[in-house]
Amino acid sequence: MPQTTTYDIFMDGSCSFCRWSQAKMEPYDTKSRLRFLDYNNPAVARQAPFSRDELDNEMHVRTPEGAWLKGFQAWLALLRVLPKLAWLGRLASMPPMRWIGPSAYAFIARHRYSLPGAPARCDGDTCAIPGRPPR
């Protein structure tokens, strides 16, 4: 695989929370380091060495070097490459956050549609994210 400078984020393009998170992160990506890939596309899914269930349960990121990160570790890596949020990535890498971060991430992933401010789950083809056209 050729070396790139982008972090490939494997996400569920039909997940309103995932798309909402993407919309929140994109303005911070001032150096175009993030590439969001919808694993519902079979060609994208074949790039990941994970099952559909694994991809559905937590975020997976392929680093520019080709390494795979998932869950909390993936979030840390993304925060660190976003210039205005790098400080947050460094802070979250330190104790006690690095110890409680994985559990917090798992909780958020399980309850992503019931969190305050999170978008509702999509129903069929009706999925609206503020600032984005409906799917």
Side-chain angles (χ1 to χ4, degrees):
M1 181 163 125
Q3 182 87 9
T4 69
T5 60
T6 60
Y7 287 73
D8 292 332
I9 302 164
F10 286 70
M11 59 171 278
D12 180 353
S14 63
C15 165
S16 58
F17 186 84
C18 302
R19 294 177 52 232
W20 176 77
S21 297
Q22 175 184 353
K24 295 291 185 188
M25 290 183 77
E26 284 176 332
Y28 292 100
D29 187 20
T30 57
K31 296 185 179 188
S32 299
R33 301 287 312 272
L34 309 182
R35 181 169 52 174
F36 294 86
L37 303 172
D38 184 357
Y39 61 75
N40 291 305
N41 176 333
V44 170
R46 282 192 295 274
Q47 296 177 41
F50 305 101
S51 70
R52 174 65 190 235
D53 284 343
E54 289 172 304
L55 291 169
D56 282 342
N57 288 328
E58 61 186 338
M59 180 177 57
H60 289 73
V61 170
R62 183 173 51 207
T63 69
E65 299 79 27
W68 286 94
L69 303 170
K70 59 184 180 174
F72 182 68
Q73 295 304 317
W75 268 109
L76 285 180
L78 298 179
L79 288 172
R80 287 185 200 128
V81 300
L82 299 174
K84 290 185 178 182
L85 298 178
W87 67 271
L88 185 56
R90 287 189 300 276
L91 181 66
S93 298
M94 297 168 38
M97 285 305 298
R98 75 171 178 214
W99 301 323
I100 62 174
S103 295
Y105 176 89
F107 177 85
I108 291 168
R110 276 193 312 276
H111 302 287
R112 61 185 169 255
Y113 294 112
S114 59
L115 297 172
R121 183 183 304 267
C122 293
D123 292 324
D125 290 336
T126 58
C127 183
I129 304 296
R132 296 267 174 127
R135 288 193 50 148

